[in-house]
Amino acid sequence: MNKKYLLAPAALAAALGLALSGCASGGDAAPGELQIDVPDVPQLDALGDTEDEVNILAWSGFVEPAWTDQFTADTGCAVNRKIFATSDEAVQLMRTGEYDLVSASGDASLRLIVDGNVQPLNTELIPNFSDDIVEGMKGQLYDTLNGNVYGIPIGRGANILQYNGDEVTEEPTSWDVVWEADSPYAGKIAAYDSPIYIADAAIYLMATQPELGIENPYALDEEQLAAATELLKQQNGMVSEYWNPATNITSFTGGNSVVGTSWEVLRKATGDEKFKSVLPEEGSTGWSDAWMLAADAQHPNCAYAWMDYTSSPEVNGQIAMNFGMAPANGAFCETSDEAREHCDYYNATNEEYFEKVWFWTTPIDQCLDGRTDVQCTNYQDWTNAWATVKG
Amino acid sequence: MNTQTVLERRPKPLSTALYRHPKGRLASLLTLPMTWLVGVYILSLALLLITAFWTTDPFTSRVKPGFTLENFQQLFSVPAYFATAMRTLGIALAVTVICAVFSVPLAVFMVKIAGPRLRALLAVLVTLPLWAGYLVKIIAMRLVWTENGFFNWSLSPVGVEGPGFGVVAVILTLVYLWFPYMAIPVYAAVSQIPANLFDASSDLGASGFRTIRTVVAPLLLPSLIAGSVFTFSLSLGDYIAAMYVGGSTQMIGSIIAQNINLNPPLAAAFSVVPIVLVVIYLAAVRRTGALNNL
């Protein structure tokens, strides 16, 4: 086994440990833990009567009549849904103050917390937020800050390496097939079209260039960002297409791409068994979504009711199956054969699998890996760097 | 009873008031279009341009009022941005030239050679793309240019390979999207050229080529320029084509779309680039007098 590859899980475990220890100490940060200045927003102490509606900002597939109708019947809260397409759009919409809840991904949540757009949550008011929530989804750095819980987990997934089994006959075990200049698949490589894809380059550099000292792909100082950008520029010449969810599927089925990053849900949507997926030895990026409550929510009681309702094994499982991701509530996996199959497929309770996954996190000036002797690059720096990659 | 007198006696306060107050008449005519033009269009454009001088909080992406030229400076100092602007300009010019080169012979054929039925059929074919939605057309073009797509499927047996996703595919896709905007004015111009001009030119000893160069071309120039305003400006602002058939191609619109949520001031500064290019183009075109006929 490659020694370098052990670095990623070790660092992740360390980061997790830090976050979890902060969680356990109940608000008082442990010494040395990452502390970020955030506006002081009070949390709700007790629930009142439910209002008559709740306004939810959600990823497509998270809020559907199949389970909202029951919620409305149970609580009297009508559900108003607004779909967003990107995390950046979600952040902008949340700041209008018109929404109570958002299904935020890790790359949005830090921004929302630090800008004071969302409030800390009182988990005692959410009974379904219990031990059944899978270990890896509790106390993550991006939704638990300074000892406060800001997000109720919904589900997670890894950004896998997808390949066309007809063209790539030997299962790739490393990301080198998409990064190295001598890749036999040059010109047929699909890359994700977002600045956050820089983290994928950083993960490969963690394994191949340890002298750069990257400990966390979302905590890059200027030198490390430059190295990642350099790697991306080298890849640019070999990329068949920078994909987004609308173009990924036809990029593979159309034959333009034979290997590259993808999501399980998109791989399945190709509807062809020859498209396979693997989590390479270096690990990968991934995403993890959580409900977050607006700081000045107009309907907090309905919102709390919604967070509790969707954290139950049944409803959480329905969302996960509908969207194609690993559910947050592990108890769902025991409810039926179909559920077990779904959980196995998405590695829902396989923490060993997700230990290799670096969930999307907003890069900020303060180094998320705990370094204090250097300033890290923020997401704006990443966005600018991304434009130079695609130059 | 005489209806005429009844009509005359009926009081018409509104018409009378408008008749007596010419300014009120003018206001009632112009209020609606002017509200639209100034309130909705120019005001929002001005607000956008002001944003280009503002700054963004690097962490929260919140826009903060202020004054900085840094956003404009970046357009020139970052090589990737400048290269993208130049590439977009090149694509827009290529699309315009190709549309023009295609539309002249087509228009000449439709007007001078084709019979009425064929002419009607061609007119329908040229305008057919306008019937479908923009995204539908783009996705259709994506399927045409994929490796296993229509182009390669139909032409690879005779040894012709498609260009694949990239700048060439973007140009061809934009030509497909904007061709009707060039073809229709050119067709109208050709059909207005009187046949006896050709006879006169021929009687005076001009060859066919010379007739085209000295008689037809000057008469077509205004319509070509009118069409080019559409093909050129629409191509400059497009980013969906780059997203769907561009492969790794980036255009000005791609950068604006990437920054619109994260760094609105930079996006605003970038949106000035196509505006400036179009203004320069219109100023150059105006000197030819072609815009007088629009």
Side-chain angles (χ1 to χ4, degrees):
Chain A
M1 189 189 280
N2 189 339
K3 256 191 206 160
K4 292 168 190 163
Y5 127 64
L6 287 172
L7 280 173
L12 181 65
L16 254 177
L18 280 176
L20 283 172
S21 66
C23 199
S25 65
D28 301 315
E33 191 207 343
L34 186 73
Q35 279 283 331
I36 296 174
D37 286 336
V38 299
D40 198 15
V41 183
Q43 68 176 33
L44 208 63
D45 289 328
L47 289 179
D49 294 335
T50 52
E51 302 84 2
D52 52 0
E53 61 173 358
V54 58
N55 300 318
I56 305 179
L57 262 179
W59 287 108
S60 170
F62 276 27
V63 179
E64 301 293 337
W67 52 91
T68 56
D69 289 350
Q70 186 61 45
F71 174 73
T72 306
D74 290 351
T75 61
C77 304
V79 177
N80 305 317
R81 174 189 72 164
K82 160 90 181 163
I83 303 279
F84 61 85
T86 66
S87 289
D88 304 326
E89 193 187 334
V91 170
Q92 294 293 343
L93 286 170
M94 263 313 261
R95 291 185 182 151
T96 62
E98 290 169 21
Y99 304 93
D100 299 304
L101 281 169
V102 59
S103 62
S105 294
D107 56 334
S109 40
L110 256 188
R111 274 182 270 171
L112 291 169
I113 298 171
V114 171
D115 200 40
N117 308 128
V118 291
Q119 56 174 286
L121 298 171
N122 186 344
T123 51
E124 282 172 18
L125 305 179
I126 308 172
N128 280 328
F129 182 79
S130 63
D131 293 342
D132 290 337
I133 301 295
V134 292
E135 201 52 51
M137 294 205 68
K138 275 196 274 192
Q140 286 281 10
L141 180 61
Y142 45 78
D143 51 25
T144 305
L145 203 60
N146 305 344
N148 287 322
V149 174
Y150 283 89
I152 300 299
I154 308 166
R156 58 181 170 172
N159 299 326
I160 40 107
L161 177 66
Q162 177 173 322
Y163 61 98
N164 181 336
D166 288 353
E167 310 271 339
V168 185
T169 45
E170 201 176 322
E171 175 173 277
T173 56
S174 165
W175 285 109
D176 59 5
V177 289
V178 305
W179 293 116
E180 292 300 336
D182 59 357
S183 168
Y185 310 110
K188 299 261 183 186
I189 295 169
Y192 183 47
D193 189 3
S194 164
I196 206 75
Y197 185 57
I198 291 171
D200 290 67
I203 285 175
Y204 187 66
L205 290 176
M206 279 164 72
T208 54
Q209 294 186 35
E211 66 275 12
L212 283 168
I214 300 176
E215 299 279 328
N216 178 327
Y218 304 102
L220 305 179
D221 59 39
E222 253 174 56
E223 197 183 320
Q224 292 163 342
L225 177 64
T229 312
E230 210 46 52
L231 182 63
L232 285 157
K233 280 182 181 164
Q234 172 188 308
Q235 190 200 39
N236 181 266
M238 311 190 290
V239 165
S240 58
E241 185 159 38
Y242 289 106
W243 62 267
N244 61 56
T247 56
N248 173 285
I249 298 164
T250 43
S251 193
F252 280 93
T253 57
N256 291 66
S257 305
V258 299
V259 66
T261 47
S262 185
W263 301 337
E264 275 298 347
V265 59
L266 294 172
R267 189 195 68 75
K268 280 189 104 174
T270 59
D272 194 332
E273 285 302 315
K274 76 178 178 191
F275 297 108
K276 300 178 170 31
S277 68
V278 61
L279 185 70
E281 60 190 18
E282 295 91 355
S284 79
T285 53
W287 43 269
S288 170
D289 296 341
W291 297 116
M292 300 186 110
L293 179 59
D296 47 3
Q298 302 293 310
H299 312 98
N301 296 303
C302 275
Y304 263 95
W306 174 261
M307 286 190 280
D308 188 48
Y309 175 73
T310 52
S311 297
S312 72
E314 296 75 22
V315 180
N316 186 253
Q318 281 190 58
I319 299 175
M321 293 206 27
N322 184 53
F323 187 77
M325 65 179 171
N329 194 324
F332 161 73
C333 303
E334 307 305 322
T335 54
S336 72
D337 285 344
E338 194 192 9
R340 200 165 296 121
E341 201 178 307
H342 178 86
C343 287
D344 284 348
Y345 184 83
Y346 288 96
N347 297 288
T349 53
N350 184 353
E351 292 306 328
E352 209 175 313
Y353 177 90
F354 279 107
E355 264 173 24
K356 291 162 72 177
V357 176
W358 294 88
F359 294 118
W360 282 342
T361 309
T362 317
I364 56 175
D365 289 334
Q366 193 174 349
C367 291
L368 295 170
D369 59 4
R371 281 182 294 171
T372 50
D373 55 334
V374 61
Q375 196 181 35
C376 278
T377 50
N378 58 46
Y379 197 50
Q380 199 119 78
D381 298 325
W382 285 38
T383 310
N384 295 342
W386 182 243
T388 69
V389 168
K390 296 172 76 189
Chain B
M1 198 166 117
N2 191 338
T3 44
Q4 187 90 32
T5 47
V6 173
L7 276 177
E8 271 169 8
R9 277 180 199 159
R10 220 170 72 192
K12 290 183 185 170
L14 190 64
S15 326
T16 317
L18 284 179
Y19 177 76
R20 288 202 185 127
H21 304 279
K23 278 185 181 164
R25 209 159 62 219
L26 195 65
S28 67
L29 276 176
L30 291 184
T31 305
L32 212 55
M34 278 300 160
T35 312
W36 173 258
L37 188 69
V38 177
V40 178
Y41 185 70
I42 295 187
L43 198 69
S44 56
L45 202 62
L47 284 175
L48 175 82
L49 294 184
I50 291 169
T51 320
F53 298 98
W54 292 2
T55 55
T56 313
D57 184 296
F59 187 6
T60 60
S61 303
R62 244 182 213 285
V63 177
K64 290 184 295 197
F67 183 81
T68 174
L69 288 173
E70 202 187 326
N71 299 313
F72 289 102
Q73 198 191 329
Q74 284 198 18
L75 300 185
F76 297 97
S77 60
V78 178
Y81 290 163
F82 190 72
T84 303
M86 287 300 112
R87 182 185 309 119
T88 310
L89 178 64
I91 289 173
L93 287 173
V95 170
T96 302
V97 169
I98 294 174
C99 283
V101 168
F102 282 1
S103 55
V104 172
L106 180 74
V108 170
F109 177 81
M110 283 171 72
V111 174
K112 301 293 173 198
I113 302 168
R117 294 187 66 161
L118 185 56
R119 184 183 308 159
L121 179 71
L122 284 172
V124 169
L125 285 179
V126 166
T127 50
L128 197 61
L130 297 177
W131 296 8
Y134 176 88
L135 268 178
V136 175
K137 286 184 281 187
I138 287 272
I139 290 169
M141 288 306 275
R142 179 176 167 80
L143 298 178
V144 165
W145 300 122
T146 54
E147 203 74 10
N148 310 329
F150 176 77
F151 192 88
N152 282 348
W153 171 79
S154 55
L155 291 182
S156 61
V158 293
V160 179
E161 283 287 323
F165 292 158
V167 174
V168 177
V170 170
I171 292 174
L172 293 175
T173 300
L174 291 176
V175 165
Y176 164 70
L177 284 176
W178 313 140
F179 183 65
Y181 298 96
M182 178 72 90
I184 291 166
V186 171
Y187 170 75
V190 173
S191 60
Q192 279 168 12
I193 300 176
N196 53 21
L197 278 185
F198 291 87
D199 300 335
S201 175
S202 171
D203 288 349
L204 291 169
S207 65
F209 179 73
R210 195 183 164 88
T211 304
I212 288 173
R213 193 165 61 83
T214 56
V215 178
V216 180
L219 289 170
L220 284 190
L221 197 62
S223 67
L224 282 170
I225 288 170
S228 74
V229 172
F230 291 113
T231 57
F232 182 72
S233 58
L234 288 173
S235 302
L236 276 183
D238 193 85
Y239 77 101
I240 307 279
M243 186 200 280
Y244 278 90
V245 299
S248 58
T249 308
Q250 180 172 249
M251 292 176 73
I252 290 175
S254 324
I255 296 182
I256 295 175
Q258 190 89 61
N259 282 287
I260 195 73
N261 283 316
L262 289 166
N263 193 350
L266 183 69
F270 241 100
S271 64
V272 173
V273 177
I275 294 176
V276 167
L277 289 175
V278 168
V279 167
I280 292 174
Y281 189 76
L282 287 179
V285 162
R286 205 176 73 95
R287 296 171 67 96
T288 67
L291 296 181
N292 301 342
N293 297 335
L294 280 183

